[in-house]
């Protein structure tokens, strides 16, 4: 089965001071391969001098927790990484758009996002906007409030 992941940024041409980046982390060890591939898409609309550092650090936090063995087997490493990112980003989320996607070896997928991003999955001629199913961080007080999980069909 061929999987294609495309990230499209459609920045507002009137705002030329945006910072955006994509991150792709492929597993290296057997344990990491069980966790899956990590894809991150990030944008800061009104950047400050440390904006790229904030994006890089957030990506590193999520990656670190996803690919390290959890202390307790009941802990979900992806959720743990998002919780740590929530702590790191507290107070810095007002102009942040960020999506985190993990695709496991058995075509299982986990998605979390914050901000104004659309996450659309295509299958044959159908499009599914899974990004509209997330709660606002204003309601939950978390930057990454939800994780949506499912399986990709072949």
């Amino acid at each position: 089965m061929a999987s294609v992941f495309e990230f499209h940024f459609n920045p507002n041409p009137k705002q030329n001071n945006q910072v955006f980046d994509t991150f792709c982390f492929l597993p290296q060890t057997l344990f990491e391969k069980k966790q899956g591939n990590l894809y991150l898409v990030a944008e800061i609309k009104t950047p400050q001098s440390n904006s790229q550092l904030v994006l890089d650090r957030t990506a590193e936090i999520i990656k670190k927790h996803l690919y390290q063995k959890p202390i307790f087997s009941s802990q979900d490493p992806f959720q743990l990484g998002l919780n740590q990112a929530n702590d790191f980003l507290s107070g810095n989320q007002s102009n942040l758009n960020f999506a985190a996607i993990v695709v496991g070896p058995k075509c299982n997928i986990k998605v979390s996002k914050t901000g104004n991003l659309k996450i659309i999955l295509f299958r044959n001629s159908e499009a599914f906007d899974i990004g509209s199913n997330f709660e606002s961080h204003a309601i939950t007080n978390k930057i990454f409030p939800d994780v949506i999980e499912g399986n990709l069909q072949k």
Side-chain angles (χ1 to χ4, degrees):
M1 178 185 99
S3 295
V4 177
F5 290 92
E6 293 185 26
F7 306 118
H8 295 272
F9 285 100
N10 297 316
N12 185 343
K14 296 176 184 173
Q15 284 185 318
N16 60 359
N17 61 344
Q18 298 160 324
V19 173
F20 47 89
D21 207 345
T22 60
F23 303 88
C24 176
F25 299 108
L26 302 177
Q28 303 298 313
T29 67
L30 185 59
F31 176 78
E32 290 176 359
K33 288 179 183 177
K34 289 179 183 178
Q35 300 305 315
N37 298 349
L38 176 62
Y39 304 96
L40 306 170
V41 180
E43 174 191 33
I44 296 181
K45 293 182 207 170
T46 53
Q48 298 176 1
S49 60
N50 68 339
S51 292
Q52 187 62 52
L53 181 65
V54 168
L55 296 182
D56 292 343
R57 182 70 181 125
T58 303
E60 193 58 39
I61 288 169
I62 296 170
K63 174 190 171 196
K64 173 188 169 194
H65 288 282
L66 177 67
Y67 291 136
Q68 79 179 11
K69 293 183 181 174
I71 296 171
F72 302 104
S73 61
S74 63
Q75 289 179 316
D76 176 30
F78 183 55
Q79 185 65 59
L80 185 60
L82 294 173
N83 290 343
Q84 292 298 315
N86 282 335
D87 292 342
F88 172 71
L89 290 169
S90 63
N92 294 317
Q93 77 278 10
S94 62
N95 59 3
L96 177 68
N97 295 319
F98 201 106
I101 303 165
V102 175
V103 180
K106 296 180 180 177
C107 295
N108 54 315
I109 185 170
K110 296 180 183 182
V111 179
S112 188
K113 77 161 197 139
T114 188
N116 187 22
L117 287 175
K118 286 189 176 261
I119 301 173
I120 301 173
L121 293 179
F122 292 96
R123 181 169 182 223
N124 298 326
S125 61
E126 294 183 80
F128 303 95
D129 182 3
I130 64 169
S132 63
N133 297 331
F134 289 91
E135 289 186 29
S136 166
H137 74 269
I139 296 170
T140 64
N141 234 5
K142 290 183 180 179
I143 296 158
F144 296 103
D146 292 325
V147 174
I148 294 176
E149 297 184 51
N151 291 311
L152 299 173
Q153 295 180 355
K154 295 182 180 182

